[in-house]
Amino acid sequence: MKLLVLGGTAWLGHEVARQAVGRGHQVTCVTRGLSGPIPDGASHIQSDRDADHGLEAVSAVHWDAVLDVSRQPGHVKRAVRDLRSADYYVFVSSVSVYANHGPLGQDEDAPLLPPLESEVMETMETYGEAKAACEKAVLEGLGAERCMIARVGLIGGPGDIFGRTGYWPMRFANPSVEDGTVLVPNAPSLPVQVIDVRDLAAWLVQNCEGQLSGVYNATGEKHSFAEHIAAAREVAGHQGQLAVADAEWLHRHGVQEWAGPKSLPLWLSDPEWQGMNARSNMRAKGAGLVLRPLEETLRDTLEWEESTGIEKPRRAGLTKNEEAELIPELG
């Protein structure tokens, strides 16, 4: 198979390209060359998709499959225009396209946000609308029978530079205070869904081979936050106590939800957002998506965290000093 990966140096795109090469496919990655090297065995074409003819170097080639991870509607519209001769197109979308994130267990038929009218997503505030516009461009430009839309949930596993899945096993393995106590939010029933990047990439490559069409929620198995914390403690061998804090206390002390500076990753206190991590993945599993146990994902992510340095700058979580200051305040 001749596979064109629009990306291939960032996390998911790199893993897709790596696995496709490993399965014997001829892989070409089109990137700006800013996120790192492409996998061994793949070909690289440097290009800027902001340019109107940014895909000119690959548009005359016949591709068996194209995989696109962009969030910019203009990028996707131009790709659909220039790569129309490809047999098959996979667009990696997001569960952020859904209009309502409150109800649990919603499937692919749930209402969507209106597509972004602009070709450029200026801020992450319109991420869902931008991805919806990208989906619309693919489906209308190529036809539903020639493409697949994968609405991806939270991705985890080795290489998680966002820090959302690495924080908890890392912190339990490396507590901030001497007695091993770790600060956690009081949200035991909060749903959490993590799909391992390796499982997602394997499924996407498999679908490029078989040219599966349709729209799918590519999400992990749903666990409660308590189950996720227990799995993280187990892989880290944590024997300390949990300092459990209510949402009001955490907010009062400046602790953020989900990700970003001074945050507790994966935590959401607003019920109107808790369905975001409780999407039905039955259609994707019926189409061959195989998911490894959560413990394996967290264990491998912990190994990656430690191999790359636990003191590296983080995009999610509390620093050691921040947590060490908060725990005594909780009493």
Side-chain angles (χ1 to χ4, degrees):
M1 173 178 68
K2 290 182 67 173
L3 172 64
L4 179 65
V5 178
L6 301 178
T9 56
W11 189 25
L12 175 60
H14 187 279
E15 183 64 17
V16 167
R18 186 190 71 81
Q19 291 200 30
V21 168
R23 291 173 70 93
H25 299 303
Q26 184 179 340
V27 180
T28 299
C29 301
V30 176
T31 78
R32 291 179 299 167
L34 302 178
S35 300
I38 62 169
D40 291 340
S43 300
H44 181 224
I45 293 178
Q46 188 167 351
S47 179
D48 186 353
R49 292 181 68 183
D50 287 339
D52 184 59
H53 295 287
L55 297 178
E56 186 174 16
V58 295
S59 61
V61 179
H62 175 77
W63 301 100
D64 297 305
V66 175
L67 183 134
D68 192 354
V69 299
S70 181
R71 59 194 180 194
Q72 294 292 358
H75 288 183
V76 177
K77 290 176 183 178
R78 290 189 289 274
V80 168
R81 177 197 69 192
D82 295 341
L83 302 172
R84 193 174 298 276
S85 64
D87 290 342
Y88 179 71
Y89 199 104
V90 173
F91 179 67
V92 179
S93 188
S94 167
V95 295
S96 295
V97 299
Y98 291 110
N100 191 344
H101 296 288
L104 308 185
Q106 290 188 100
D107 64 15
E108 293 83 352
D109 297 325
L112 305 182
L113 291 168
L116 186 70
E117 293 184 5
S118 172
E119 292 198 348
V120 178
M121 183 193 76
E122 299 286 356
T123 73
M124 289 299 291
E125 295 297 318
T126 56
Y127 177 73
E129 291 87 347
K131 281 289 195 179
C134 294
E135 288 189 13
K136 183 173 183 286
V138 172
L139 291 169
E140 291 184 354
L142 298 174
E145 70 284 352
R146 291 176 57 200
C147 61
M148 185 189 79
I149 306 295
R151 292 175 180 155
V152 177
L154 176 65
I155 304 175
D160 182 6
I161 60 172
F162 303 100
R164 290 171 296 194
T165 56
Y167 175 80
W168 290 111
M170 181 280 298
R171 180 56 71 223
F172 284 122
N174 302 273
S176 301
V177 295
E178 190 173 344
D179 68 359
T181 300
V182 172
L183 180 67
V184 300
N186 185 15
S189 61
L190 172 71
V192 178
Q193 266 183 316
V194 176
I195 185 167
D196 193 294
V197 66
R198 298 164 294 183
D199 298 337
L200 175 58
W203 185 66
L204 293 174
V205 173
Q206 171 188 315
N207 292 332
C208 287
E209 294 169 343
Q211 299 193 359
L212 176 73
S213 62
V215 178
Y216 301 86
N217 289 334
T219 58
E221 299 291 16
K222 181 171 71 69
H223 297 276
S224 69
F225 190 81
E227 291 170 335
H228 190 97
I229 291 297
R233 294 183 75 192
E234 179 182 346
V235 302
H238 181 250
Q239 300 296 320
Q241 299 297 312
L242 299 181
V244 182
D246 291 334
E248 182 181 354
W249 186 93
L250 291 168
H251 289 146
R252 193 165 67 247
H253 286 79
V255 179
Q256 306 301 310
E257 302 179 27
W258 188 248
K262 199 176 181 181
S263 65
L264 287 177
L266 310 183
W267 168 50
L268 292 168
S269 64
D270 186 348
E272 294 302 311
W273 282 95
Q274 294 184 5
M276 181 178 68
N277 294 306
R279 296 278 169 189
S280 170
N281 61 8
M282 297 303 295
R283 187 183 296 181
K285 289 169 67 177
L289 175 62
V290 177
L291 302 168
R292 71 191 66 207
L294 174 63
E295 289 79 5
E296 182 178 340
T297 296
L298 295 181
R299 182 177 295 109
D300 293 349
T301 307
L302 175 58
E303 290 181 4
W304 175 81
E305 285 276 358
E306 294 183 331
S307 70
T308 55
I310 61 170
E311 299 301 331
K312 62 181 175 291
R314 305 192 62 83
R315 297 167 72 173
L318 300 174
T319 66
K320 228 173 183 181
N321 288 340
E322 287 170 343
E323 187 182 37
E325 291 175 0
L326 286 167
I327 289 174
E329 290 286 328
L330 187 59

